[in-house]
Structure formats: structure tokens, C-alpha cells
Amino acid sequence: MISFNCIGEIVAVKPSYPFLSRFSRDNQGVAFLELTLLFPLLLALSLGVFEFGRGLQHYHVVNKAARDAARYLARVPATCTAAGTANGTVAAAFQTNARNLALTGQISGGTPILNYWTNPATVAINVDCIDNQTPTYRGADFMPVMRVTATVPYGDLGFLTILGLGGFSFGVEHEQLHIGE
């Protein structure tokens, strides 16, 4: 109910529903209600930031592993027969050592540096040969370039899978000119 004075100004407003007026004056539990409404959003945001940071850290680990494997291969004996992609060779034992180095951080193998990255087939090794017959660089007529490519499926903690964003891979590649033994 609304009351007016003699010049038409509103003087008092009485609620039509008196039982609701007590809720408009009661402030107890407002903070708890706000927390319950915002908590799922804050939790999802926190987990998303954590998962994103973890993914960046794992990408960095895979990138360093591919770089280490390429640097190792740059120091082992390699041969080039002609210029072009994948025209060079490195002994299979050295390729196995390079894959072990990428996966475990050790030439002899061991515990994987990422618990979900255990498949040696995810590390591809190619030896490309650069034509150096007109001596642009000091060295042989064909210079080996080691290319290590790692394609690693990311093992999330489950949060990305719940959101439907799981199932992606890291793909890194590193090239290193052959230095020699």
C-alpha cells in the first residue's frame, strides 16, 4: 500500500506482502549465498589455470627432450649420400639411444620424464642432407642435419576431458647440424 501527502508526494510504502518485508531487511547469510553461487565458477577457473600451467610445463619438457636428442645425434657418426630430405643415415643403435634420451633423459633408458609419454614411436628421427658441393660451409660435400620430431598426446588430469577439450597432442621439432664425433 502506498500513502501520499497533500501535494502528491509518496510518504510511506507498506509492502503488500508483510511476510516478504522481513527478508528485505535480513542480511544474515548473504555472504554464504554469494559464495555458493560463485564457488563453481571460481573452482573451474582455478582448475583451468592449473591445467594450462601444467600443459605449458609439459610442452617445455617435450621441447627440451627433442632438443637434447637432436644434439646427441649431432655428435654421433652420420653419413649423407645425396642432398635432400631423409637421404642421410645414422646407426639404429644411436637412434635408439636418442629416443631413450628424449623419453627418459638417459641414453640407457629408465623412468619416463613424463609418466604418460612412454612410446618410442612418438619420436621420429630424420637425417636431411644439405648440398655443400660449392663450399658454402666448411666440411663435406653433403652435410647432415639431424631432425627430431616428437608428437606427444597430452595426458591431462581429467579437467579438460570433463570440459570436452581433451585429446590434443604436443608437436615439437628440433634440427641440429651434424658436428661430428
Side-chain angles (χ1 to χ4, degrees):
M1 170 180 230
I2 302 174
S3 301
F4 298 95
N5 64 8
C6 62
I7 57 171
E9 296 175 330
I10 298 176
V11 222
V13 177
K14 291 185 180 179
S16 304
Y17 304 101
F19 65 92
L20 291 177
S21 68
R22 69 184 173 113
F23 290 118
S24 67
R25 292 185 311 267
D26 190 8
N27 290 333
Q28 288 183 331
V30 172
F32 181 70
L33 180 64
E34 290 173 354
L35 176 67
T36 57
L37 292 174
L38 290 178
F39 183 72
L41 177 67
L42 292 174
L43 181 64
L45 187 63
S46 298
L47 289 175
V49 167
F50 176 77
E51 191 74 58
F52 182 73
R54 183 176 179 266
L56 282 178
Q57 189 254 348
H58 286 196
Y59 174 80
H60 180 69
V61 167
V62 172
N63 194 17
K64 280 182 62 176
R67 183 183 65 210
D68 291 345
R71 285 181 176 176
Y72 168 77
L73 288 171
R75 300 293 297 172
V76 300
T79 58
C80 274
T81 55
T85 304
N87 282 339
T89 58
V90 172
F94 293 128
Q95 290 186 24
T96 301
N97 289 348
R99 286 187 179 95
N100 286 340
L101 185 61
L103 293 172
T104 66
Q106 302 173 16
I107 292 174
S108 59
T111 306
I113 50 178
L114 295 175
N115 60 352
Y116 56 85
W117 187 27
T118 57
N119 186 1
T122 59
V123 180
I125 297 170
N126 287 323
V127 181
D128 301 336
C129 298
I130 297 174
D131 186 3
N132 192 35
Q133 291 176 348
T134 58
T136 306
Y137 306 105
R138 187 177 68 184
D141 288 343
F142 301 106
M143 300 185 71
V145 175
M146 309 303 170
R147 178 181 295 139
V148 176
T149 306
T151 306
V152 182
Y154 177 60
D156 69 333
L157 294 176
F159 182 69
L160 295 177
T161 305
I162 290 170
L163 294 177
L165 300 173
F168 65 91
S169 298
F170 297 130
V172 298
E173 181 175 288
H174 188 77
E175 292 182 353
Q176 184 74 39
L177 183 64
H178 187 258
I179 300 168
E181 303 85 45

